[in-house]
Each structure stands twice: as C-alpha cells, then as structure tokens.
Amino acid sequence: MTNSLLQKYNVPGPRYTSYPTVPYWNEDNFTYEAWLDTLKKSFIESNTSEGISLYIHLPFCESMCTFCGCNKRITKNHDLENPYIQAVLKEWDLYCDILEKRPIIKEIHLGGGTPTFFSTQNLETLILGIFKKADKASQHEFSFEGHPNNTTKEHLQKLYDLGFRRVSFGVQDYSEKVQNAIHRIQPFLNVAKVTLWAREIGYTSIGHDIIFGLPFQEKEDVIDTIEKTKSLQPDRLAFYSYAHVPWIKGNGQRGFNDEDIPKDDKKRELYEIGKQLLYENEYHEIGMDHFALQTDSLFESFRDRKLHRNFMGYSSSKTQVMIGLGVSSISDSWYSFAQNVKTIEEYYAILATNKIPILRGHLLTNEDLIIRNHILNLMCQFETSWTDAKEYFNEIPDIVIQLKEMERDGLIEFISNGVRVTEVGKPFVRNICMAFDVLLKRKAPDTALFSMTI
Ligand SMILES: C[S@@+](CC[C@H](N)C(=O)[O-])C[C@H]1O[C@@H](n2cnc3c(N)ncnc32)[C@H](O)[C@@H]1O
Ligand code: SF4
C-alpha cells in the first residue's frame, strides 16, 4: 500500500455489516407490523432448508476498555445477570409465538459486552431456555466471545457441552504501554491459558482479535503481539483497524489524546507489517479484517464461495433469517432490518408490555437488495458481477468513473461483467463497496458517522 493510495482512500466509510447501513435506514416506511410480516415470510421460506441464526447481546463488562466501540454496561454487580437472561428469554418467547412453527437453529453467537461476565449456570439457563422452543440444525455452529481475563475452564466446558465449538478471545495488543492506555491489562499468560483450555476441551475454531492503530502502538508491538499469537496457533484471526469513534456515548475513549493514536503512514506501517507476518505464518485473508488457517471452516467457506457476512461478522454459510436478542441487537429478515432499543431500562420496560423492544428498522427496496448483493459479494469473495451492466450502472451516478479510477490505482480489475479486488485493493474493500453505495452518493452524511476506512 503506497502512502499516496492511503492518503487518497483513507476517508470515513461504513464497515458494511449491513446494506443499507444503519444511518441510511428509512424509518418513515418502517413499522413494527411490517417487520414481523417480512420475518414470518422469510422464516417460512428458509427455516426448513437453511435454519435461522440467533445473535444474543450480553452487554455487561466489569471494567471499561477505553478503546471500545461496543454497546456495553460497566458494572461489577452480578445480580444483574439473571434478570437480563430472563428478559432475553421473554423476547425469544415473543418471537416464537409469532413464528408459530419451531425454529431450527443453525447458528448462535453470544456477543457483547462480555458473555463470560455471566456465570456458567446463567449461560446454561439461557441456552436451555432457547431450546425449549427450538431445535438444533444437524450442522449447527455455535460461537461466543470470551474475555481472556474472566473466561473459566467451566465456561468453556459448559458451553462446549451445550454445542459450542467456536470461541474468539479479545487480545488487542500485548504491549504494557498500549494496555495501560486502553485500560485493559491482560497478560499473555491469561490468553495462553484460555486458548489451551479451549483446545484441550475440543473447540474446533479458536479465534483471537488483534487491533492495529491503538494509542502508543509501535511497529515492534505489532510484531511482538503477532509472534506471541503465532505461538498459540489460533485457527482464525481478526486483525482490526482501530476504529476511533469518540462520538459513541459513554465509551470513555478520551482516556488518551488524539496525538497518541498512530495515523497515516505510521498506521499503514502497522497494518503492513502485521499482514506480512500473518501471511508468513500461513494465515489467509478471507474477508475484510479476517484471516484463517487453511484448516478453519471459514477458510473452506471462502474457498467454496459460501462465506456470508451479517451483523455477527463473517459466517460460513448464509441464513436468510437472523434474530438479534438483547439490548441494541439487530435482526435481519433479508427483506428488512430491525434494531432493539439501546438501554437496558427501555428494553425491560417494553418487554413488560409484551412487545419486542424494537427501536427502529428499514424495509429493503428492490434497489437495496441488488446493491446489498454486490456489497456482500465484494466483502465475502472479493469480486462481484452483474448481468446487465448498462441498466444497473445508469442508476448509480459516477460508478463507472470511480471504478475506472480504482482500476488505474490498481485496486480492482475488470472481469467479464464485473470487478475483482486485487491484492493491492484488499485493504480498500470498504472504499470499493462505497462506489456501489447509491444511498451514500445521494446524500453524504452531515455529521461524523463512520470510522476511517483504513
Ligand atoms: C465485544 S469485544 C470481545 C469480547 C470481550 N468483551 C473482550 O473484550 O474480550 C469484541 C471485539 O471488538 C473489537 N473492538 C472493540 N472496539 C473496537 C474499536 N474501537 N476498534 C476496533 N476493534 C474494536 C475488539 O477486538 C474486541 O475484542
Ligand atoms: S473491549 Fe470487551 S471487555 Fe472491553 S469494554 Fe469492550 S466489550 Fe467490554
């Protein structure tokens, strides 16, 4: 990646966990009833053939990391666990009553916040409660995010017994200076311990999350972090660009100054050295920010062109229905998106009226569905193609000019009726998606909404 490419393409841009992206949802057309209608339709179409996915947001963390962009509630009060689990199960019951038939669950992902804030007993109550009204798909994939500082052997064993085979651990960076700045003191030994336990118990995919571009992070820190990571041989690695999103309320990101965050060529160097080391250690880039060993199921899906991306991140196959339970979770019926309210107090209050606590949503138009497909193709296969280019391109102002410019810059190459992202273009895949994003083109955001693309 040259510096000039970085300067040209490092602009604020969406991460495309959905298209349209949340700030572009049209709330005027959205109603609670319309959301449920699309969900019922999609469920009938896909429950038997594909099954459904469940994302469950578990928002509590004991300590605040000052880099974090997730929706979380910092507390040490573990009495909050059980009421929250009961509320999530109530939300699930409301959905099951609406769906009428027993859902077949293909995927569950426990995200947060910190799922391992919860006791093994409460996590068991949650999962058994879910399966009172649902069945497991024969080929299910259950995963969770574990904090290396509080994941116990009992957590790993209990979730394994309940069908979980994938776990990802938040590592970020091993440097003490960086860890102090981001208020996350987490020695290598903690990560090694949980990784080895998970492997011993039989987890088939263990992931580590690493971030480049953190405050005070130097080239040597990235090298050291990847060297240590390599010694534990996780099956997957997320190598995230630090998203500086100080406008997210209550995230405490002002624990360091702006000048302490590596920028431009310094950040580029961190990325390049990291990516080089990952390649040298047999990690293959399978999608935006994600690397996997050839033996991991995500790599196999990438190779077989089955990889899918949704609000949970990458998954090895597509499900048309994803129900998000818990505070701030987003659900996807393929024809429509719906997001839950963001505070625990509102979540409880609306559930008490026997309604699913939806805050807002979006019904996808035909145009949205076409563009969503292209963006998914680019994110999951690094290429996309179309049957009638003329008709489609007329709809999107400047797309040809923009794509030609990206071709000149070496980011993409044209293939028959489509484009393919080159090796040089992979770090810029968000920018390439932005060329297709007609909503962003029609109306640029007035305020800061997105993190920088690199
Ligand atoms: C919910 S956390 C993982 C589980 C657990 N809470 C923990 O921290 O270990 C999910 C992951 O999101 C990533 N993340 C959070 N905030 C981020 C940011 N501002 N920029 C980039 N990645 C971020 C981190 O890598 C983190 O491990
Ligand atoms: S990084 Fe994880 S533990 Fe830290 S505040 Fe965010 S969600 Fe909580």
Side-chain angles (χ1 to χ4, degrees):
M1 193 200 301
T2 64
N3 222 1
S4 59
L5 281 183
L6 185 78
Q7 269 159 10
K8 179 166 171 183
Y9 288 106
N10 195 19
V11 293
R15 299 180 62 79
Y16 292 112
T17 44
S18 73
Y19 182 84
T21 55
V22 178
Y24 284 90
W25 287 1
N26 179 357
E27 288 173 48
D28 298 341
N29 294 342
F30 181 84
T31 61
Y32 185 79
E33 289 70 28
W35 153 246
L36 293 180
D37 286 345
T38 67
L39 178 69
K40 281 190 266 189
K41 168 176 149 71
S42 208
F43 178 74
I44 292 165
E45 286 170 359
S46 65
N47 185 44
T48 323
S49 53
E50 292 177 350
I52 71 162
S53 297
L54 273 192
Y55 170 75
I56 306 178
H57 193 74
L58 299 170
F60 304 117
C61 304
E62 282 212 352
S63 159
M64 162 85 91
C65 310
T66 58
F67 72 95
C68 178
C70 307
N71 177 298
K72 72 265 172 197
R73 172 75 60 98
I74 308 298
T75 177
K76 288 197 165 47
N77 179 4
H78 286 263
D79 292 344
L80 297 174
E81 289 182 30
N82 197 262
Y84 188 80
I85 297 292
Q86 296 309 327
V88 168
L89 288 175
K90 172 152 190 192
E91 189 188 2
W92 175 236
D93 283 352
L94 291 172
Y95 269 117
C96 290
D97 290 347
I98 289 158
L99 295 176
E100 291 170 7
K101 282 212 169 89
R102 273 176 90 82
I104 299 171
I105 301 183
K106 171 87 195 301
E107 284 187 331
I108 298 183
H109 183 72
L110 307 182
T114 300
T116 46
F117 173 96
F118 288 76
S119 68
T120 47
Q121 291 81 349
N122 279 325
L123 291 174
E124 182 175 39
T125 305
L126 172 67
I127 302 302
L128 295 181
I130 296 285
F131 283 107
K132 270 193 194 143
K133 298 209 165 171
D135 298 314
K136 278 184 197 162
S138 52
Q139 302 279 320
H140 53 270
E141 279 200 27
F142 300 168
S143 54
F144 71 99
E145 294 166 14
H147 193 316
N149 285 358
N150 66 10
T151 301
T152 62
K153 204 168 183 179
E154 289 68 41
H155 279 123
L156 288 161
Q157 186 64 58
K158 179 56 76 187
L159 288 167
Y160 183 88
D161 295 343
L162 291 165
F164 286 71
R165 295 290 179 271
R166 279 179 44 197
V167 55
S168 62
F169 294 116
V171 170
Q172 331 311 351
D173 185 285
Y174 286 116
S175 142
E176 243 176 73
K177 185 165 185 190
V178 175
Q179 291 197 357
N180 279 326
I182 62 174
H183 197 241
R184 188 184 171 99
I185 310 303
Q186 181 180 281
F188 172 70
L189 273 184
N190 291 12
V191 183
K193 197 171 61 180
V194 291
T195 303
L196 298 180
W197 281 339
R199 191 157 293 133
E200 195 182 297
I201 288 170
Y203 281 79
T204 49
S205 180
I206 301 169
H208 283 188
D209 300 340
I210 296 175
I211 303 186
F212 67 93
L214 287 168
F216 302 110
Q217 199 179 33
E218 299 286 344
K219 208 166 78 180
E220 293 68 30
D221 300 324
V222 172
I223 297 174
D224 181 60
T225 296
I226 295 184
E227 284 295 321
K228 289 196 166 86
T229 302
K230 189 181 90 181
S231 70
L232 299 173
Q233 284 280 299
D235 305 275
R236 295 181 188 178
L237 275 173
F239 188 45
Y240 293 123
S241 165
Y242 167 54
H244 189 49
V245 283
W247 55 87
I248 290 186
K249 258 204 281 182
N251 67 355
Q253 283 192 325
R254 287 293 151 180
F256 44 83
N257 295 321
D258 269 9
E259 317 75 87
D260 306 326
I261 303 169
K263 286 187 193 69
D264 303 329
D265 53 335
K266 187 126 196 260
K267 188 167 185 187
R268 170 180 66 91
E269 209 182 11
L270 300 179
Y271 169 76
E272 293 205 320
I273 192 97
K275 183 165 164 172
Q276 181 59 31
L277 280 173
L278 294 179
Y279 278 167
E280 282 170 19
N281 288 291
E282 314 289 324
Y283 287 95
H284 298 264
E285 191 165 22
I286 49 107
M288 191 179 88
D289 311 327
H290 281 74
F291 295 77
L293 294 176
Q294 275 196 25
T295 44
D296 189 77
S297 62
L298 221 49
F299 176 83
E300 288 165 15
S301 302
F302 172 68
R303 191 193 50 206
D304 302 342
R305 293 170 161 267
K306 288 191 180 144
L307 199 64
H308 184 57
R309 183 172 166 84
N310 55 28
F311 292 101
M312 302 189 290
Y314 284 101
S315 67
S316 26
S317 57
K318 180 187 152 215
T319 54
Q320 197 170 297
V321 170
M322 191 188 91
I323 295 180
L325 302 177
V327 66
S328 82
S329 289
I330 299 179
S331 301
D332 177 359
S333 70
W334 196 252
Y335 306 111
S336 154
F337 298 124
Q339 180 172 33
N340 279 353
V341 291
K342 293 189 180 172
T343 69
I344 293 164
E345 292 72 17
E346 285 170 288
Y347 180 70
Y348 288 170
I350 300 175
L351 276 173
T353 67
N354 292 325
K355 278 194 97 181
I356 298 166
I358 287 167
L359 168 70
R360 58 182 169 171
H362 178 86
L363 303 174
L364 278 87
T365 63
N366 281 340
E367 178 192 87
D368 294 338
L369 287 166
I370 293 173
I371 297 172
R372 177 186 195 177
N373 252 334
H374 286 296
I375 288 184
L376 269 176
N377 291 343
L378 286 165
M379 284 278 171
C380 300
Q381 291 154 25
F382 290 126
E383 65 178 62
T384 192
S385 59
W386 43 82
T387 39
D388 191 342
K390 243 208 259 134
E391 184 193 307
Y392 176 61
F393 281 171
N394 287 344
E395 301 278 316
I396 304 188
D398 301 338
I399 186 167
V400 180
I401 302 170
Q402 249 181 312
L403 290 178
K404 288 235 155 90
E405 189 172 343
M406 289 182 174
E407 186 195 27
R408 275 195 302 279
D409 287 334
L411 308 192
I412 54 167
E413 55 196 20
F414 283 92
I415 50 174
S416 82
N417 281 328
V419 289
R420 176 181 298 142
V421 182
T422 62
E423 217 31 60
V424 175
K426 283 182 179 173
F428 300 102
V429 68
R430 285 162 77 177
N431 302 79
I432 300 165
C433 292
M434 282 162 76
F436 289 81
D437 187 339
V438 66
L439 295 173
L440 191 68
K441 287 178 172 189
R442 286 192 193 126
K443 190 176 180 305
D446 318 320
T447 51
L449 291 178
F450 303 117
S451 60
M452 302 299 272
T453 51
I454 309 296

